[in-house]
Amino acid sequence: MSDMNHIERLQTSDMELGATEAVQRHASRHVIERRPISQRKLDFEHSRPRWLREMAAEATGVFFYVYPGIASTASFFLNDTEPIFGSLFQIGWAYAIGIAFAIITCGPTSGGHFNPAITLCFAYWQGFPWKKVPYYIFAQIFGAFMAGMILMGQYHEQISAYSAATKAAGKGTVFNGGPASILCTFPGENQNNLGYLFLIEFFVDSFIGIVIWACLDPANPFVSPVSAPFTIGLAYANMVWGFANISISTNLARDLGTRIVAAIFFGGEAFSYKNYSWIAILVNVPATFFATAYYELVMRDSLKKIGTGRAVHAEGEEGLTRHLSRVGVIETGMSGVLRNGGEKGDRNV
């Protein structure tokens, strides 16, 4: 082909080379030089307070996670749960993809916690600075609050009409499936056993916590940085699908931030309804600590972690050598032992 200046002029013979090669031959003639980064831009970025950037990233990430979920819920509830407007399956996917986008977009800036329980676990297990914990948690709750406020503004007319209809039917506005439940979780009409709801929430949050901790383990060969956001998102979606007919929260910030919005628009019953709100808000923390403790104490292989170069022995190479000698694997060669996580030594012991 004599003229490759326009993609639409590609002929059949060109496509036989493979679409990728043909397009690359075209695109190579139109490469635009990247704009150089100015010193002024570097100075501006350096002047930004680190804590402010981290807070903004955490708030934005929680917004990206919460907003798709509650917007999908709004579309579903406000249209009488008609399948054409959504489903519980769609709501699960909305949260899953929202979480993935949150991690991809904001994780590089703040670490991508997006959950007060995860922030606390990072501080306890991984050395995250405790002084950062309060403003991370505030930013996370604020992000969920803003997601709820924006949703109420966008759907104000429809939610007002739905509220009028539920009030006219004598149901009020705060109940499972009601206007307030677009924003946060409420127990169903027959879900009156708080102990049962506590155990369900504890199980769900523990399940998600273990998956998150496994995805963040550098010694885990099955999860790459590219796949981790979607794996974590699917863990959330899996719990939404599995417990669609039961009230679950999964995240302190996600629930508290939107529950405050529900209280603003629908009254204090958003916190007092069936005395449930403390389960939705607080159980996430002990459940996630349980999950991460289970992973750290039972499943973690720190020797493999050292082998990846993402950690070092507290006493340096000498301490590592002493450990390998003590467990009887030093003769196999340090590199092989680190790759295998000391399994031979474990068997010998």
Side-chain angles (χ1 to χ4, degrees), residues 261-283:
V261 177
I264 292 172
F265 286 93
F266 303 109
E269 194 180 1
F271 281 93
S272 63
Y273 184 78
K274 292 193 175 186
N275 297 317
Y276 167 76
S277 63
W278 70 270
I279 294 176
I281 295 169
L282 298 178
V283 172

Side-chain angles (χ1 to χ4, degrees), residues 2 17 83 86 114 116 135 139 206 248-249 259 264 274 342:
S2 58
L17 299 172
F114 311 140
Y135 70 74
S206 298
I248 58 173
S249 165
R259 196 172 293 274
I264 292 172
K274 292 193 175 186

